[in-house]
Every structure is written in structure tokens, then in C-alpha cells.
Amino acid sequence: MTANRDIYIVLTGTGTAFSGIIKWFTKAELNHASIAFDSELREVYSFGRKRVHNPFIAGLIHEDFIHPFYNSADCAIYQLRVSPEEYDTMYNHVQGMMQNQERYKYHLLGLVGVLLNVRIDREDAFFCSHFVASVLEETTVHPVAKPSCFVTPEDFASSLCAHKIFSGKLSYYMRRTSRMAVLASNLHTSTMPVPAAVAARMLRTNEERTEGIV
């Protein structure tokens, strides 16, 4: 039997002027949604700015959360367990879109439609949470009971509160997962066996150092 897989819904707030405008309308702190296919957030996709300092050139992107642009970003991360078939369906769907990346545009009018509760369709155009919800619609995973074109980041926050695994600075999460991955790799390749309790304590100590507790 093949083990289930995990996907991650990542909500972020960068504190930029454009993010502030959206916040003024939504009243939500985290106004950008992404979908990730690994816990280290290396395979992360969304609709957003293609150039980090220019919000007006936007579309389908593979996000780089280790970029300095995200150093002060706040985030909330939600974990969803899905079947291997559902994971592959969503991942392959996104990769198919990425092969035609330039074809997809940012759907600014769609955001206006959400505010007015009016569906505004535009071919091959999405905004961030619309995109994430549309990827989920490729399977039976529908955490928000709305058509994808009306889904907001705040809808994910409300619907997935029981699935939240992290809330805080995105840069901290990235450092923590990176260090834990390195430590786990070192423990795995060590020539001397490490008792499970000791390994767990080492991982916890490493995490506390990342937090600044130790």
C-alpha cells in the first residue's frame, strides 16, 4: 500500500505597498496564497510578481522563499494529507502549466470580482488564491466551499485552521527546516548508531537554537 502524501497551503504577508492595498480591502493580515509540494517549501507555486520589486509584472511563478524579499514576511502554513494519486494529479497539473508559464496572466479584475461578488472570467488568468483553489479542484480536495474564482487567502485560513502547522516569520521556518534537514542527513549518514531518544533531543536542541531559545 502506498503511503499518503502531503501538500501545503502557504499564506504570506510581505508588508509591501501593494500588499497593503489588498489588506485595506480584505482586512486580513496574510493576503497571498501559494501551494507547496514539500515541507521544505522548495516546490512552491502561485500567481504573483515575477520581479520581486515590481508588482505590476505578474503571472504564474515558482516562488523562491529564501530570497531576501521574504526576510520580514509573516506566514501561516497548513498541511493537507492527500492520496498519492491526488498528489500526482495536482503536481502534474501545475507542472503542465509551468511548461507554458508565459501564457498565464495575473487576473487583477478577478480580485475586483471577489469584492463585488461578481464572477469575472478571463482565459488563462488567475490571482493567487484562485490559482491554489483551482489546483485543488483537480481532485476531490475542496477545503473551501466556494468556486475557485471567489476563494480568498482568508477563506483558506478559516477552513484549514485545524491543519495549521506553523505561524510566524517565513524566514525562521525556512532556516529551521533547512537546519533540521541537514541534521537529519548527518544522523542518517553517521557511522555510529544514534539512539532514537538522543536523535530526537538533538533535533529539538537544533530547533531551539534556531528560535534563539538556547
Side-chain angles (χ1 to χ4, degrees):
M1 182 176 179
T2 306
N4 287 339
R5 306 287 300 276
D6 294 318
I7 63 167
Y8 302 84
I9 307 301
V10 185
L11 306 184
T12 52
T14 57
T16 62
F18 187 73
S19 177
I21 293 172
I22 297 177
K23 179 180 175 180
W24 188 82
F25 283 104
T26 64
K27 312 304 180 186
E29 294 294 328
L30 305 178
N31 288 293
H32 181 68
S34 311
I35 185 168
F37 293 93
D38 65 306
S39 61
E40 293 83 15
L41 306 186
R42 292 173 297 194
E43 291 270 2
V44 190
Y45 303 90
S46 187
F47 270 68
R49 57 183 75 198
K50 292 187 174 183
R51 301 175 185 174
V52 293
H53 299 297
N54 189 340
F56 301 104
I57 302 177
L60 176 62
I61 55 172
H62 181 182
E63 291 187 289
D64 178 12
F65 281 160
I66 64 172
H67 192 281
F69 175 76
Y70 295 100
N71 280 350
S72 60
D74 295 311
C75 78
I77 303 172
Y78 305 85
Q79 181 182 46
L80 285 175
R81 184 140 293 179
V82 299
S83 71
E85 294 77 17
E86 288 171 326
Y87 182 97
D88 289 342
T89 295
M90 287 185 277
Y91 184 78
N92 291 336
H93 176 72
V94 172
Q95 294 308 309
M97 293 180 69
M98 288 297 294
Q99 290 175 8
N100 298 282
Q101 186 177 7
E102 296 306 315
R103 166 178 154 190
Y104 295 96
K105 308 301 178 185
Y106 191 86
H107 194 11
L108 189 57
L109 279 177
L111 288 176
V112 176
V114 172
L115 294 173
L116 300 177
N117 198 32
V118 176
R119 182 167 191 151
I120 302 176
D121 291 322
R122 182 185 170 200
E123 188 175 6
D124 298 330
F126 299 83
F127 53 88
C128 62
S129 50
H130 176 198
F131 163 71
V132 174
S134 72
V135 174
L136 296 173
E137 281 183 343
E138 294 294 312
T139 69
T140 58
V141 182
H142 300 153
V144 180
K146 289 182 180 180
S148 61
C149 64
F150 289 124
V151 174
T152 68
E154 185 66 13
D155 288 328
F156 284 125
S158 299
S159 300
L160 297 175
C161 56
H163 298 270
K164 184 188 289 186
I165 61 170
F166 179 82
S167 180
K169 292 296 181 184
L170 178 59
S171 58
Y172 162 65
Y173 179 87
M174 299 303 292
R175 289 195 304 270
R176 184 184 74 173
T177 53
S178 176
R179 292 185 185 185
M180 291 182 70
V182 169
L183 181 57
S185 176
N186 290 341
L187 291 174
H188 180 72
T189 57
S190 174
T191 56
M192 297 182 62
V194 180
V198 174
R201 189 160 59 249
M202 291 172 67
L203 287 170
R204 175 59 185 161
T205 300
N206 181 75
E207 183 174 341
E208 289 177 343
R209 282 179 179 148
T210 306
E211 290 186 60
I213 297 174
V214 177

